[in-house]
Amino acid sequence: MNRIFRYSFLLGLGLSFAACQDLDLPPTDRPTDATFWTQPSDAANVLNSCYAGLYPSEYFFFNEALSDNAYNKSDVDGSNVRNVAEGAYGTNQARITNEWGYHYGGIRACNRLLTNIDKIGTLDAGLKARYIAEAQAIRAFHYFQLMTWYGAVPLITTELSVSEANSVTRTPRPEVLDFVLKELDAAAAVLPVNTAYGAEDKGRFTKGGAMALKARVLLYEGDRWADVVAITTQLMSGSMGTYTLFPSYMGIFAPSNENNNEDMLDLQYAFPTRTHSVQRQFIPRTEGKLVTSIAPTQELVNSYLMANGKTINEAGSGYNEATPYQGRDPRFMATLVYDGYTWRRPDNSTIVIRTFPGTGDNSIDRQDASPTGYYSSKYFDPTSDANLNSGLNLILIRYADVLLMHAEAKNELGQFTAADWDNTIGALRRRAGFTDAAALTFPGGDKASLQATIRRERRVELAMEGLRIFDLRRWRTAETVLNGFAHGIKAGDPNVDNGYIRVDQRTFDPARHYLWPIPQRERDINGNLEQNPGW
């Protein structure tokens, strides 16, 4: 198997190592620190385990249900993200607790490598430097996720004993941010560009991937626009690697096009050794045969433009509520499944998906079907097995996102020009399949109107890729967008919400929900961990 996760089972070896450190003689039936760090392959194996623990497929997909893009029908699937979306969660909620533990597990694996790699005297110096840079970038990713959700978190850069780990304190967020930025700079200075890797090393951190992650970190700060532009400009110039938009929007996510030049950082899978199966929970019920736990909302559907570049509420858009899916942004058809959608099965046969009440096994009134009347097609893998276990890679950062970051930052600086439009939003729309000149031409307008256009573009381009919730939080619009009802298709009481069915009521309290609570389980173990405000 030509993938970097060949030895991901080693992630759990840390416990074995720790358990035998106090013995006089190392056991002979399993590896220990005394016997393991002796050859170059030991470092490679542990680094591979760091990649295996980079990010879980569950978070990647279920993050959409934390936002206004999707609704989670199940109160169990996705570590109870439905409760989080409804604002009905506390310090012991599964997703809150699990996210903390997941990232610190990943940090521990990286610290293990960085602490012990010098013990291997036969490791090539260039390879050693690259391994260190990769581990630094992975660790920075984990800390970025932690500070985004929790704010100040313990900054741990070495291996700790159990007693040491149970007495750490929270590091101020600015210090964690500074650490993340410096680690990514250090990593990027060493890492090769994407084209320098052979096929066997696809999926590793590259110079461009590390800097794209740094741009995202800075973007989330909300006031580092010039710094974002400095990085995105370099990435767009090609000085940090060769990245382009893949010719087909739908093709980006096809198994046959994995590792294309739009993919800057991803989660690598390899069927049948390393797979994910969340697609069972967002494709049509007849195809997934499980409860539809990730159902796109009417709010997401309404955000897609018409083919002429107008919003559905604009005069002259041509939108007709009786035929709502006609004449829309081509990315709509490439992302979402709606009533009347022709679904192509792996055997190349087709089925028409009907979602209105009384129309069949995929309709909203059927148990376990989508409660909104919509499903998702993005990231459906037709090459998966009978149980829908998939080896399709999941992209964490696309070059399209770099273009969107560039557009947003330039506009926030008041510098967004027609040329910038053509290189970013215009390029994305041309790739998507827009042909109407009105949709492709720079619209002009003031900063606020351009901001709305860019934010809408970001939403639809990256829909169902797990990023919307982070945008709502960094824009500080969550208390507006995530308070009130999420809706489905127009099949309900015509006297309520114009007939669009209400599927869930959301609550977002800006006084407490912009930061997740520190898990109570962690505070029970370590009394030095202060709680976030409001919790």
Side-chain angles (χ1 to χ4, degrees), residues 502-522:
R502 292 176 170 180
V503 295
D504 193 34
Q505 186 166 14
R506 276 30 188 321
T507 298
F508 190 95
D509 180 357
R512 63 202 300 252
H513 289 158
Y514 275 114
L515 287 180
W516 279 356
I518 304 302
Q520 188 58 45
R521 183 180 69 182
E522 301 297 328

Side-chain angles (χ1 to χ4, degrees), residues 145-283:
Q145 294 296 313
L146 285 167
M147 73 178 193
T148 299
W149 288 120
Y150 304 97
V153 295
L155 182 58
I156 302 168
T157 59
T158 60
E159 288 189 283
L160 300 182
S161 66
V162 173
S163 60
E164 289 172 331
N166 291 343
S167 61
V168 296
T169 59
R170 297 175 67 182
T171 304
R173 188 185 183 281
E175 292 183 27
V176 180
L177 171 64
D178 184 63
F179 174 80
V180 168
L181 296 175
K182 287 179 177 177
E183 286 287 278
L184 290 173
D185 280 338
V190 174
L191 290 169
V193 297
N194 58 334
T195 53
Y197 277 128
E200 71 279 3
D201 286 319
K202 293 295 184 182
R204 295 187 181 276
F205 254 102
T206 62
K207 184 183 298 293
M211 292 308 290
L213 177 57
K214 183 181 179 182
R216 180 178 286 179
V217 173
L218 292 166
L219 184 83
Y220 282 19
E221 290 304 294
D223 60 358
R224 303 284 295 270
W225 306 115
D227 294 330
V228 173
V229 169
I231 296 173
T232 54
T233 298
Q234 291 183 71
L235 290 168
M236 293 166 67
S237 74
S239 64
M240 293 188 177
T242 303
Y243 300 103
T244 59
L245 293 178
F246 192 75
S248 161
Y249 181 77
M250 185 179 292
I252 302 167
F253 313 101
S256 58
N257 298 324
E258 286 184 328
N259 303 310
N260 61 70
N261 278 349
E262 186 165 340
D263 181 352
M264 303 186 75
L265 177 66
D266 65 14
L267 304 176
Q268 292 267 315
Y269 291 86
F271 184 85
T273 308
R274 174 177 160 84
T275 62
H276 57 87
S277 58
V278 183
Q279 64 176 336
R280 292 180 293 182
Q281 295 164 312
F282 61 73
I283 63 176

Side-chain angles (χ1 to χ4, degrees), residues 399-430:
Y399 183 61
D401 195 359
V402 169
L403 301 185
L404 289 164
M405 288 191 283
H406 187 77
E408 181 176 349
K410 290 279 281 188
N411 185 61
E412 294 300 325
L413 290 169
Q415 301 171 358
F416 193 58
T417 66
D420 292 320
W421 167 276
D422 191 58
N423 291 329
T424 58
I425 309 301
L428 291 171
R429 290 188 181 181
R430 289 192 297 272

Side-chain angles (χ1 to χ4, degrees), residues 64 67-69 148-149 216 219-220 401 404-405 408 454-460 462-463 466-478 481-482 514:
E64 287 296 275
S67 78
D68 56 343
N69 277 358
T148 299
W149 288 120
R216 180 178 286 179
L219 184 83
Y220 282 19
D401 195 359
L404 289 164
M405 288 191 283
E408 181 176 349
I454 293 168
R455 289 184 177 186
R456 181 188 294 269
E457 193 73 20
R458 183 173 181 85
R459 183 179 191 179
V460 299
L462 303 175
L467 296 175
R468 172 71 172 172
I469 183 59
F470 299 110
D471 289 338
L472 296 178
R473 291 163 64 91
R474 69 184 176 85
W475 291 332
R476 284 298 194 263
T477 58
V481 173
L482 299 181
Y514 275 114

